[in-house]
Amino acid sequence: MSGVSPGWLRAAQAAQYEPWDQDRGPAAPLTPWIAPRVPRQFAEAIERLGVVRRLGVGEYIYAPHERVDRLVLVRNGLTARAVVDPASNQPEAIAISPPGRLGSGNLNFFSGRPCAGRYFALCRSEIVLCSQAVIRALAKHDPEFLLQLVHYFELCSLSDRLGFATQVMLSVPLRIKVLLLSWAVSFGHESERSDRPGRWIRMPVPPS
C-alpha cells in the first residue's frame, strides 16, 4: 500500500477530535475495522509522555515475539492490526488505524498478557509510543481519566467484534458496503451538489 495518495493522507490527518460524552462516548456510531478516534485528553497524555517513531511501508511496530507493552498512537499514515494464523504465521484479517487512533496497546493494557497478532505500517507512517505502565500510573491518580480509558478500550473491543462478525457472516459485496459506511462515518462530511438535490456525503477514497 505504498501508493497511498498525499491527498488521502491530508484528508485523514485533518479529521477533528469528536466531542466525548463521559457517559456515552462519541456521538458517531460504532463501526467495524475502524475504532473511534482517541479522546483528546488521552491523546494529549500519550503525546506528552511518549516518543515519536517513523515507519516505512510494511515495517513492524513490534518485531515478532516482542512484548506488546506500549500504547501506540497513530499521528500520520495508516497502520494495521492483523489477526495471525498460528500455523502459517500469515495475517488472516486486519483492522486499520488511521491518524488519531491506537495502533496497539489497548488489548492487554491491564493484564499485560501476550497479544497474538501483527502490528505494522501499511504506508509511511508516524506514531507515538508510550509505556502502558506510565499511563496506568497516571490513571491511578485521576479516576475520570481512568474511566475514560476503560470506556475507550471497550469501544475498541466492540469495534473489533463487529469486524469479526462482518467478516464471518456477510458476503464480500456486503463487506465492501460496510467498509465504505465505516469510512464515511470516520472521514465523510455532508455536502451539497448543484446538479442533484438532497444531502451528500463526501469523503476521501479508501486506500487500496
Side-chain angles (χ1 to χ4, degrees):
M1 196 178 276
S2 57
V4 174
S5 72
W8 180 87
L9 290 174
R10 285 194 298 270
Q13 183 70 16
Q16 300 297 309
Y17 284 99
E18 303 168 21
W20 185 275
D21 181 89
Q22 193 67 13
D23 295 322
R24 298 183 57 84
L30 198 61
T31 62
W33 301 313
I34 309 174
R37 193 178 177 98
V38 175
R40 181 184 293 275
Q41 182 185 4
F42 187 13
E44 289 175 348
I46 295 175
E47 289 270 7
R48 184 174 71 253
L49 300 169
V51 295
V52 177
R53 179 178 161 195
R54 291 176 176 82
L55 302 171
V57 180
E59 185 176 348
Y60 284 122
I61 297 174
Y62 297 97
H65 310 299
E66 184 180 358
R67 183 179 179 83
V68 177
D69 59 0
R70 287 160 289 176
L71 287 163
V72 174
L73 176 69
V74 180
R75 252 190 182 180
N76 199 6
L78 194 66
T79 70
R81 312 182 304 282
V83 177
V84 174
D85 182 339
S88 65
N89 206 34
Q90 294 299 313
E92 295 294 327
I94 68 170
I96 56 177
S97 298
R101 274 73 172 181
L102 288 184
S104 72
N106 59 290
L107 190 63
N108 68 340
F109 180 81
F110 293 103
S111 70
R113 292 175 179 268
C115 295
R118 292 287 181 268
Y119 304 91
F120 57 94
L122 291 168
C123 63
R124 286 184 295 178
S125 303
E126 184 176 86
I127 60 176
V128 184
L129 302 100
C130 183
S131 166
Q132 292 172 332
V134 169
I135 298 297
R136 281 198 302 269
L138 182 64
K140 284 181 180 179
H141 301 286
D142 188 338
E144 287 192 5
F145 181 61
L146 175 60
L147 182 61
Q148 189 178 79
L149 288 187
V150 173
H151 192 168
Y152 180 73
F153 292 162
E154 179 183 291
L155 293 180
C156 290
S157 296
L158 289 172
S159 176
D160 285 345
R161 180 65 63 87
L162 285 172
F164 287 131
T166 301
Q167 189 81 10
V168 171
M169 300 175 67
L170 299 185
S171 64
V172 172
L174 285 177
R175 280 183 244 161
I176 293 173
K177 291 179 180 180
V178 171
L179 173 62
L180 292 175
L181 178 61
S182 297
W183 211 260
V185 169
S186 295
F187 302 111
H189 59 273
E190 289 190 19
S191 65
E192 295 182 357
R193 293 178 53 169
S194 58
D195 57 332
R196 295 187 181 182
R199 295 187 301 177
W200 293 80
I201 301 296
R202 186 181 296 274
M203 63 180 179
V205 177
S208 59

